[in-house]
Amino acid sequence: DIVMTQSPDSLAVSLGERATINCKSSQTVFYSSINKNYLAWYQQKPGQPPKLLIYWASTRESGVPDRFSGSGSGTDFTLTISSLQAEDVAVYYCQQYYSTPRTFGQGTKLEIK
Amino acid sequence: EVQLVESGGGLVQPGGSLRLSCAASGFTFSSYWMSWVRQAPGKGLEWVANIMEDGAEKYYVDSVKGRCTISRDNAKNSLYLQLNNLRAEDTAVYYCARDHNDRWDERGLDYWGQGTLVTVSS
C-alpha cells in the first residue's frame, strides 16, 4: 500500500498570509505514460463532506478559487493557499489514486492565527 | 446537478450487519466507478472500497476484506455497501463518492454525499 504522509499536522496562519501543506507518498504516483501525477487534494469543513480542490497534483477543480494551487511530482507534493481567507479554515487531505487501496494522508488542520 | 444521498446507517451491536445505500442522480451512474470512504469520529478519511461501472471489478481496503461487499444496481442508480461482523472500529460516517469513468483521465473523487453514521456498540 502507498503511505501518504502530510506535514504539518496543524497550521495557524494569519489572514492574507500564505499557507503551505506538504504531502509525501511512499512510492511514486506519477504515470510516465500519460505524464500525470495521480494525486488529489481535498478540503473538509466541520460537519461537511470533503470537497475536491486539486487533481493531477496541480489542476484546480472547476469553481475552486485561484488562491489554491498544487505543485510537485513523483513523491513530493504541496498545496498552497496564497492569501488565507477566513472561509479556508478546514482540514486538508491529500490522496493518491495511482493504486488500490486509494490512500489518504492523515490530514492537516488549518486555522487562523 | 449531481446528488449522492446515503442511507441505512444506525446503531448495531458488535458482530451485527448493516446495508448502506447510496442513491445517485444528475449523472449517468452506469458510466462511473463509485467509491465508499469512511471517517471515524474526529479522525481522518479512509477509503473503503470501489466498484467498476458494471460491477465486474471490486476492490477493498484490507481492514474490511471478507466482511464487506460493495455492489450496485445501475437500473436503480444505486450503490450499496454490505457490512458484516461489525466491530467497534467500524464506527464511522460512511460517504459514497463518484469515482472515475476513464482510468487514464482519473481525477479523484469529485462528488460526495453527506454521509451516513454507523455506530457499532453494545
Side-chain angles (χ1 to χ4, degrees):
Chain A
D1 298 2
I2 297 178
V3 177
M4 307 300 290
T5 304
Q6 291 181 227
S7 61
D9 290 334
S10 64
L11 181 63
V13 174
S14 300
L15 290 172
E17 296 300 304
R18 178 185 301 261
T20 301
I21 298 170
N22 300 301
C23 174
K24 187 174 184 65
S25 58
S26 61
Q27 60 192 77
T28 188
V29 298
F30 179 67
Y31 267 115
S32 55
S33 57
I34 55 173
N35 197 35
K36 289 176 181 172
N37 288 282
Y38 271 23
L39 187 284
W41 288 97
Y42 300 87
Q43 174 193 65
Q44 187 179 32
K45 297 181 179 180
Q48 295 185 18
K51 173 187 174 184
L52 177 64
L53 293 178
I54 302 277
Y55 57 90
W56 299 337
S58 60
T59 301
R60 267 188 308 276
E61 175 73 334
S62 176
V64 173
D66 60 8
R67 64 180 180 272
F68 291 91
S69 63
S71 62
S73 184
T75 61
D76 292 278
F77 302 92
T78 301
L79 175 70
T80 301
I81 307 172
S82 60
S83 176
L84 189 70
Q85 305 299 302
E87 61 265 32
D88 301 334
V89 168
V91 179
Y92 292 83
Y93 296 92
C94 61
Q95 184 213 14
Q96 64 81 20
Y97 46 97
Y98 180 89
S99 67
T100 299
R102 306 326 199 191
T103 42
F104 290 90
Q106 79 276 18
T108 295
K109 186 175 185 179
L110 177 59
E111 299 173 313
I112 305 293
K113 185 186 290 183
Chain B
E1 179 194 5
V2 172
Q3 285 198 323
L4 298 168
V5 180
E6 302 93 337
S7 60
L11 176 63
V12 60
Q13 292 189 338
S17 298
L18 215 52
R19 189 196 198 202
L20 308 182
S21 299
C22 173
S25 61
F27 66 103
T28 306
F29 180 73
S30 59
S31 295
Y32 284 83
W33 285 67
M34 296 293 295
S35 279
W36 287 98
V37 176
R38 67 183 179 181
Q39 186 169 37
K43 302 298 184 182
L45 301 170
E46 180 181 39
W47 178 88
V48 174
N50 68 355
I51 184 169
M52 194 175 182
E53 297 98 329
D54 63 0
E57 294 183 25
K58 306 173 185 182
Y59 299 94
Y60 301 91
V61 69
D62 281 351
S63 58
V64 304
K65 275 180 187 174
R67 302 187 300 118
C68 174
T69 302
I70 188 171
S71 62
R72 64 193 296 162
D73 184 337
N74 287 343
K76 295 182 177 179
N77 289 341
S78 292
L79 176 71
Y80 306 102
L81 189 69
Q82 177 71 40
L83 300 167
N84 299 322
N85 191 21
L86 282 159
R87 307 165 179 167
E89 54 265 36
D90 295 317
T91 294
V93 173
Y94 285 73
Y95 296 101
C96 73
R98 192 174 81 167
D99 207 310
H100 63 283
N101 65 348
D102 179 350
R103 174 58 178 158
W104 304 117
D105 192 40
E106 192 169 347
R107 305 180 180 198
L109 303 173
D110 59 356
Y111 287 93
W112 297 63
Q114 290 296 313
T116 187
L117 176 63
V118 172
T119 303
V120 184
S121 175
S122 55

